[in-house]
């Protein structure tokens, strides 16, 4: 019916079989020289920095005893099974809490974007919720939920990791709701108009058109909250749940050696690394898309 | 492509004394208009004359402040009516296409079929592909809208509006945001639709196109209909001095398109 537009031409595909001019060759040679020089400089400075750290840390008068108390391989091996078992609890709590946070966060964000006077009480409630739980330290929420709610005698006896999960969901859903709300508001209003004029209702428009676009806009921010929650699951140990941190504490009190804590810490880092890398990758991809390959 | 089933006696659309104000500003000051099945009506008038607002009050994106709108005899401005169900009976195309960027072309086209009209996935896809094929865009069914040119995107937007067989197609200055060389393909499609019997109400700045394709031309000025008639009468022998003044202005501006205030896209 009409000519199709050819696909967007890549920047350099038009000059593939051309021999570069002397000017371009000179520019490339200069860039190669300067990038070689930067690599050498960074290599040298890394070596110098590592040497300085080694000399200063290992050279401190107390290094020997610190090494024995914090980096004892025998204690590490002995603590390994128990700490790993504890970490497995952390992972389970993390999975359940993530699902809970996703559900409560989406609900809160949706309520906060409702319009019309009838929803005023709901909006107010949601706003108060996010204010309170973003403001209150997670540790205090853990204590209040973990020791307060069971004290009401309303619920059957639950394991402490259950109340820890509830506290995590309460706190993190407040953060996630705010991130999602920002995403929802960043979707252009014309998208809502288009959805509504197709006959989609308010909820259907939100679910099918607005939320998917909002999520895309805030993925890096959400991942960041997830990384943060990954390490905060370690705080459920204050309620007595035997997670990796609590297991390390038990091991430490038996051996008077802090190596189990270092082990637990490193395991948490290892747990977070894939998510952190994924976040970086997503952020970079998004930037690339929006900048269309520009060099700045 | 029209699925209009209205019996020929009742007009498809009937506006009675429609008033719309934004604060102190009266945008529509009592509009009376009747649209019969298979008509192609061009709304012309300067920017700010109320063309877009009129279209938006018809598909209930705006609430009227007085008067009523009847769709095949039913008062759709009655607050007891299901507004979503009413909107589903119109097909709306916007100046800036407003395609959904996170959905493929085919999913854009079938979204309303599947989630408003309850058509199954396979049947909706078949219908969507058939329509896309008819406008020469079947190859792009699995592409995302940002891979398409503006003209192609606007044709997809028209197909999306047509997919569920609307009773009236509302076109809101659908070529105003397009590069000049892409306007033709979109107007060509509208011309085909009109010729095949789709009822169309379009706000437009394309005077040559309105003259060529419309069965009736309505001139809107400061929220009232100044003059309406056949294209030949309006463009050949306008009676109202304001119609004359407007047409003089736009025809002396070149190809008949008044510079438009661009809203964010």
């Amino acid at each position: 019916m009409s000519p199709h537009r050819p696909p967007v031409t890549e920047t350099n595909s038009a000059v593939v079989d051309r021999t570069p001019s002397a000017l371009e060759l000179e520019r490339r040679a200069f860039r190669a020289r300067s990038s070689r020089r930067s690599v050498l400089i960074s290599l040298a400075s890394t070596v110098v920095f590592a040497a300085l750290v080694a000399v200063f840390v290992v050279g401190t008068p107390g290094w020997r005893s610190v090494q024995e108390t914090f980096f004892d391989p025998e204690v590490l091996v002995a603590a390994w099974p128990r700490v790993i078992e504890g970490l497995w609890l952390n992972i389970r709590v993390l999975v359940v809490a993530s699902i809970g946070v996703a559900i409560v966060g989406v609900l809160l964000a949706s309520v906060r974007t409702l319009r019309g006077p009838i929803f005023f009480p709901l909006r107010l409630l949601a706003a108060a919720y996010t204010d309170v739980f973003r403001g209150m330290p997670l540790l205090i929420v853990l204590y209040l939920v973990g020791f307060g709610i069971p004290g009401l005698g309303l619920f059957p006896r639950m394991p402490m990791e259950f109340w820890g999960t509830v506290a995590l969901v309460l706190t993190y859903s407040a953060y996630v709701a705010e991130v999602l709300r920002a995403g929802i508001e960043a979707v252009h209003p014309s998208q809502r108009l288009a959805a509504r004029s197709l006959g989609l209702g308010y909820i259907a428009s939100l679910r099918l058109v607005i939320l998917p676009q909002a999520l895309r806009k805030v993925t890096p921010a959400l991942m960041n909250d997830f990384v943060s929650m990954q390490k905060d699951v370690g705080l459920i140990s204050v309620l007595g749940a035997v997670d990796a941190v609590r297991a390390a504490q038990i091991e430490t009190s038996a051996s008077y050696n802090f190596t189990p804590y270092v082990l637990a810490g490193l395991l948490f880092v290892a747990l977070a690394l894939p998510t952190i890398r994924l976040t970086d990758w997503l952020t970079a991809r998004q930037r690339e898309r929006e900048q269309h390959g520009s060099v700045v | 492509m029209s699925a209009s089933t209205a019996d020929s006696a009742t007009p498809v659309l009937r506006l009675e004394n429609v008033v719309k104000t934004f604060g102190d500003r009266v945008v529509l000051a009592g509009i009376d208009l009747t649209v019969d099945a298979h008509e192609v009506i061009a709304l012309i008038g300067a920017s700010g004359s109320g063309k877009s607002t009129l279209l938006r009050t018809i598909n209930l994106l705006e609430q009227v402040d007085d008067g009523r709108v009847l769709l095949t005899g039913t008062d759709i401005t009655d607050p007891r009516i299901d507004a979503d169900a009413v909107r589903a009976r119109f097909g709306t195309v916007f100046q800036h296409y407003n395609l959904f960027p996170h959905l493929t072309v085919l999913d854009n086209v079938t979204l309303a079929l599947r989630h408003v009209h309850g058509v199954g996935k396979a049947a909706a896809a078949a219908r969507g592909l058939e329509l896309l094929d008819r406008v020469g865009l079947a190859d792009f069914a699995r592409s995302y809208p940002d891979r398409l040119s503006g003209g192609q995107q606007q044709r997809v937007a028209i197909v999306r509006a047509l997919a569920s067989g609307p009773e009236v197609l509302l076109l809101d200055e659908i070529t105003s945001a397009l590069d000049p060389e892409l306007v033709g393909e979109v107007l060509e499609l509208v011309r085909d639709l009109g010729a095949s019997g789709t009822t169309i109400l379009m706000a437009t700045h394309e005077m040559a196109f309105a003259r060529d394709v419309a069965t009736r031309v309505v001139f809107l000025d400061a929220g009232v209909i100044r003059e309406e008639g056949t294209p030949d009468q309006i463009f050949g022998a306008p009676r109202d001095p304001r119609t004359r003044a407007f047409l003089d202005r736009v025809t002396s501006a070149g190809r008949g398109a008044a510079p438009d205030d661009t809203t964010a896209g």
Side-chain angles (χ1 to χ4, degrees), chain B residues 92-145:
Chain B
T92 310
V93 184
F94 301 88
Q95 185 177 352
H96 294 280
Y97 344 129
N98 298 8
L99 292 178
F100 306 127
H102 63 297
L103 298 178
T104 62
V105 163
L106 184 62
D107 287 341
N108 264 279
V109 170
T110 57
L111 188 73
L113 277 177
R114 292 185 53 202
H115 297 280
V116 179
H117 303 271
V119 178
K121 192 174 180 174
R127 166 101 175 123
L129 281 171
E130 179 202 322
L131 284 170
L132 284 169
D133 189 43
R134 218 182 292 178
V135 300
L137 291 172
D139 289 347
F140 291 99
R142 312 275 165 207
S143 308
Y144 285 88

Side-chain angles (χ1 to χ4, degrees), chain B residues 175 178-189 191 209:
Chain B
T175 57
L178 292 175
D179 290 340
E181 83 265 23
L182 302 175
V183 169
E185 59 187 270
V186 172
L187 294 185
E188 197 55 44
L189 174 54
R191 183 198 310 272
F209 180 70

Side-chain angles (χ1 to χ4, degrees), chain A residues 242-262:
Chain A
V242 187
D243 74 330
V245 177
R246 182 81 179 151
Q249 192 184 11
I250 292 166
E251 290 291 328
T252 298
S253 55
S255 64
Y256 298 105
N257 187 301
F258 288 101
T259 307
Y261 276 129
V262 174

